[in-house]
Amino acid sequence: MKPKARPRIALLVEASRAYGRELLRGVALFARTQVDWALLHQEMTLDSDIPDWLATSRVSGVIARLDVHSIDDLRKLHVPIIDVRCNRKFDGVPQVETDNRKVAQLAFEHLWDRGFRRFAYCGFRFASYSEARLRYFRDLVAASGCPLTVYESKGKPSSSLTMLETAGMSDFEPMSRWLSDLERPTGVFVCNDIRGQQVLNACRAMDLAVPDDLGIIGVDDDDAICLLCDPTLSSVRPDAERVGYRAGEIMHQMLSGLRPEQDIELIAPKSVSERLSTRVVAVNDIELARVCRFIRQHACDGINVGDVAEFTTLSRRQLERRCQEELGQTPHQLITANQITRVKQLLAETKMTLEQITRRAGYSHKERLSAVFKRETGQTPGEFRAQSANAQAASELKA
């Protein structure tokens, strides 16, 4: 008997973005655990043309980030097509997409929980995902009874997404003026991490305090972009791997002659990855906001409550009272919380010894740091580092 031919599935998904890489990971996971497929893929960007080899590769199906420039050529292949971009609807093409309503909800709730009661949205005009996130975010803000201010960079409906996003680099001045005119504090939801980096660059150029004056959260949780930002960018993490896996399941159905029950399936995002751009409790008290910023910037320099009292225009008694009333913490507790956050980061992300971390956290003796860390977290520094390492290893094994 001749061996059965393996289905050849073309993956027209960019690897240049974290979202695309996670999509590919999800398809690959389905292919290697549930079916026997040959996966065809080449390095490409989001708006790349259809590769020439596709016409002669005798593929069995295509999973693609579709748009108008690619759909006609793909239809000529007469094979099942699944769209994982969902920029617009194409007849007869099933779609799997991140649920943008829930993306907006996670972003809103994250900002709300940090005390923001004024909101803003910054996106790209004519980018379908940006307009969808704005629509849902607007509904949430309206339901809360809070004000919303919106800024979208100019563009043309026929522009590629790459062109729309690149345009955000050229409207630096008008976007900067919009940011500077926002009341303080305001929670800003940006349509994706690319936009988030542009906004944070503008804030830094104008010396706007983030997150004290403006708390900023993006979407995609792209490590390369979020960690390049200063301060690092908080972001909603989509479940793009699940989107890719589900696309694989639907492709398998279609290769068996079955049609999916739904034209489009929406996959909920995973969570919010909090970083420095929203690590704050928003307060309308301007002087208290200055105090919080001072503590966050200098907690690991070995400051104490006396240093904070010397910095502020408040008396020590006023300082203690306002911190308790507005934040539910004493100045000493705020200093400690910032130190512990720094220690956790160094334990999880570096191989520094506890002696090295002690100095960088503003402590003189590792025994004192260990005691405070255990009191605040319920774990020793060693236990926390081991737990973080195990979690990272499990994530890598899954991949």
Side-chain angles (χ1 to χ4, degrees):
M1 295 179 60
K2 291 184 178 180
K4 186 177 180 180
R6 299 173 70 198
R8 296 162 59 85
I9 308 300
L11 305 179
L12 304 185
V13 177
E14 81 287 351
S16 57
R17 298 172 183 239
Y19 190 90
R21 292 192 295 274
E22 289 296 308
L23 274 172
L24 293 170
R25 190 188 301 273
V27 177
L29 179 62
F30 177 79
R32 73 172 184 257
T33 59
Q34 304 298 326
V35 292
D36 183 24
W37 287 351
L39 300 178
L40 310 180
H41 177 263
Q42 74 173 44
E43 180 63 29
M44 60 190 302
T45 60
L46 184 60
D47 294 309
S48 293
D49 292 331
I50 300 299
D52 294 336
W53 55 260
L54 194 60
T56 58
S57 296
R58 301 177 66 181
V59 297
S60 308
V62 178
I63 297 175
R65 300 267 269 162
L66 283 182
D67 210 340
V68 291
H69 74 279
S70 56
I71 183 61
D72 290 339
D73 288 336
L74 291 179
R75 287 193 189 279
K76 295 175 183 177
L77 299 174
H78 303 291
V79 298
I81 303 169
I82 298 175
D83 178 20
V84 287
R85 180 175 182 180
C86 307
N87 191 37
R88 61 196 69 207
K89 188 72 183 77
F90 299 105
D91 291 341
V93 178
Q95 296 180 311
V96 189
E97 166 72 309
T98 291
D99 190 333
N100 284 313
R101 182 188 299 274
K102 293 184 178 179
V103 166
Q105 183 177 352
L106 280 181
F108 175 79
E109 290 174 350
H110 181 76
L111 294 171
W112 181 273
D113 289 345
R114 274 135 198 84
F116 292 102
R117 296 298 180 264
R118 285 184 289 268
F119 298 92
Y121 182 86
C122 188
F124 300 111
R125 189 173 300 168
F126 301 119
S128 59
Y129 71 88
S130 178
E131 294 186 336
R133 290 166 187 172
L134 169 58
R135 182 169 65 253
Y136 297 132
F137 191 66
R138 192 193 302 273
D139 290 343
L140 290 163
V141 175
S144 73
C146 295
L148 173 68
T149 306
V150 176
Y151 180 87
E152 293 180 286
S153 59
K154 296 180 180 179
K156 297 179 180 179
S158 58
S159 298
S160 68
L161 182 57
T162 300
M163 292 176 62
L164 292 174
E165 292 179 343
T166 302
M169 296 293 290
S170 61
D171 69 345
F172 185 86
E173 292 300 327
M175 182 177 67
S176 296
R177 288 193 296 271
W178 173 75
L179 289 166
S180 65
D181 288 341
L182 293 175
E183 290 189 62
R184 315 293 195 256
T186 290
V188 184
F189 178 31
V190 294
C191 63
N192 67 359
D193 294 339
I194 292 172
R195 194 55 159 163
Q197 186 179 29
Q198 294 169 356
V199 167
L200 283 169
N201 286 341
C203 289
R204 188 162 183 81
M206 294 183 296
D207 200 27
L208 295 175
V210 177
D212 304 271
D213 292 341
L214 303 178
I216 299 170
I217 182 171
V219 185
D220 286 340
D221 197 28
D222 190 320
D223 283 347
I225 296 176
C226 292
L227 298 182
L228 283 174
C229 296
D230 186 15
T232 53
L233 178 64
S234 297
S235 187
V236 178
R237 182 175 183 81
D239 196 352
E241 183 175 313
R242 177 59 187 163
V243 172
Y245 191 94
R246 183 63 188 134
E249 290 180 321
I250 296 172
M251 177 59 70
H252 183 53
Q253 289 180 335
M254 296 179 73
L255 293 176
S256 301
L258 302 175
R259 289 291 304 173
E261 296 180 359
Q262 306 174 60
D263 290 335
I264 182 169
E265 291 196 27
L266 301 178
I267 305 298
K270 284 185 173 181
S271 59
V272 170
S273 295
E274 184 187 45
R275 298 185 181 89
L276 294 179
S277 69
T278 59
R279 194 167 289 164
V280 70
V281 176
V283 291
N284 288 314
D285 187 319
I286 296 176
E287 184 59 22
L288 191 55
R290 286 183 67 244
V291 167
C292 291
R293 189 181 316 135
F294 175 79
I295 290 175
R296 189 174 60 254
Q297 292 173 344
H298 298 288
C300 295
D301 295 337
I303 63 170
N304 55 36
V305 177
D307 296 314
V308 179
E310 186 175 333
F311 164 80
T312 182
T313 59
L314 304 173
S315 69
R316 184 156 181 162
R317 185 175 180 180
Q318 288 174 321
L319 172 65
E320 296 277 357
R321 178 176 56 80
R322 289 199 194 179
C323 282
Q324 284 284 11
E325 290 177 352
E326 295 287 338
L327 306 174
Q329 292 181 293
T330 66
H332 177 72
Q333 288 172 326
L334 290 172
I335 294 171
T336 300
N338 279 274
Q339 291 171 326
I340 294 301
T341 296
R342 178 61 171 162
V343 173
K344 286 181 176 179
Q345 178 195 4
L346 294 175
L347 288 170
E349 298 178 7
T350 77
K351 294 183 179 180
M352 288 183 181
T353 65
L354 189 58
E355 288 85 354
Q356 293 171 322
I357 292 174
T358 296
R359 294 192 299 273
R360 287 168 172 80
Y363 286 80
S364 300
H365 304 287
K366 67 177 183 179
E367 293 79 12
R368 176 58 181 163
L369 171 59
S370 295
V372 173
F373 192 90
K374 179 67 181 288
R375 184 191 71 209
E376 296 296 319
T377 69
Q379 294 178 298
T380 66
E383 289 169 343
F384 179 85
R385 172 168 272 173
Q387 183 184 62
S388 298
N390 290 337
Q392 178 65 25
S395 176
E396 292 175 354
L397 182 62
K398 178 182 177 183

